[in-house]
Amino acid sequence: MCAFNPPDWSVVRRELHALLAASDWPPDAAADAELALHELFVNAWKHAGCQAPHVIVALRPRTLRVSVCDDSPDLPEPRAFTDPYAVSGRGLHLVRALTHRFGADPLKNGKVVWFELDAAA
């Protein structure tokens, strides 16, 4: 675990919120996207030791894709639920539940973890 305080993700959260609001995305979908982004952002800090995760937001006509990049080559693996009172280990399950697609891809110098949300039909 990192000994430093987590990085401030408020700027990227505000930018995502403003983009989705300007694009008339439903508030519930925007809230899901913000929470999923928060989980990926904190995971990049906590598990990869990245003090400034790179965030890429792409809004296509009907799909939002958010990617968080860090320098660690270790791909994330959701943990099994063994302790219902554990204070960590649910983040990737939460991302999977909030989004339509979720994944991780290796990069030359690290990895990218991403999710996609589709606009309501």
Side-chain angles (χ1 to χ4, degrees):
M1 280 180 83
C2 287
F4 302 104
N5 291 327
D8 182 6
W9 78 291
S10 61
V11 171
V12 71
R13 180 183 126 337
R14 281 193 303 269
E15 289 179 4
L16 177 63
H17 182 84
L19 173 68
L20 295 177
S23 300
D24 294 323
W25 274 62
D28 289 348
D32 289 348
E34 289 177 42
L35 182 53
L37 168 59
H38 179 260
E39 287 297 330
L40 297 187
F41 195 87
V42 168
N43 280 356
W45 164 73
K46 184 176 181 181
H47 300 293
C50 188
Q51 284 299 306
H54 300 281
V55 176
I56 302 165
V57 176
L59 185 58
R60 300 178 201 135
R62 310 267 332 137
T63 303
L64 168 70
R65 183 179 178 110
V66 176
S67 303
V68 178
C69 307
D70 63 55
D71 298 332
S72 172
D74 300 329
L75 296 178
E77 294 183 27
R79 297 182 198 168
F81 284 114
T82 57
D83 179 359
Y85 301 105
V87 296
S88 66
R90 293 181 179 84
L92 295 179
H93 295 287
L94 183 61
V95 172
R96 182 172 282 132
L98 291 170
T99 64
H100 294 106
R101 286 165 298 284
F102 157 78
D105 300 310
L107 298 174
K108 184 176 180 179
N109 295 313
K111 69 177 169 296
V112 59
V113 185
W114 55 268
F115 68 82
E116 291 182 341
L117 274 174
D118 297 328

